[in-house]
Amino acid sequence: MKKRIGYLLGIIAIVLAIVFSYQAGKKEVEGNIKTVIGNSVYNVWEGYNSIIEDSNKGLTIDAISKMNERLIYVTAYSNVIDRGTGQTLLQPIASKISNIAKGIEDNYYQDGGVNEQQQEKYKQMIEAIKEVNEQILKVYYIPNSEGTV
């Protein structure tokens, strides 16, 4: 009888140890996911913010190329966020903005400059980026939390 109680207590101890180690591992994984998503949210916001800031400098081929490079990173980070959250929100927006910017760059090389239509697309794209950045702050950050995602 004492052996059975000893075995039973041993089995209970092993099960509890497994449960506690699983919970600790789960919390660590959740913390890592939150860190990766938080970093990605910041990088998307910062990438868009840099494009907004550079929009005041004029629409040159260097500015367009730099913008397209940033949009590659924004699209990649948006994909990480969407996969991490299980939502498809930011990546399609980033892809659409990237396609518009790529079109502006392609037309620049075709036409040797930026025409009025391309300038208007650029202005609309910048306004859309501003709106997306505002929504990122509202959707992904906890209000009054000093940057907690």
Side-chain angles (χ1 to χ4, degrees), residues 35-87:
T35 300
V36 169
I37 292 173
N39 183 48
S40 297
V41 169
Y42 173 77
N43 284 320
V44 168
W45 184 87
E46 181 60 32
Y48 282 145
N49 196 52
S50 297
I51 292 169
I52 293 167
E53 288 176 358
D54 287 349
S55 70
N56 299 326
K57 297 177 183 175
L59 194 56
T60 65
I61 190 59
D62 291 335
I64 294 169
S65 296
K66 191 175 181 180
M67 174 181 59
N68 280 323
E69 288 175 17
R70 283 191 180 123
L71 286 170
I72 290 169
Y73 294 109
V74 166
T75 302
Y77 283 120
S78 295
N79 191 30
V80 169
I81 296 164
D82 286 353
R83 287 177 180 257
T85 60
Q87 301 292 319

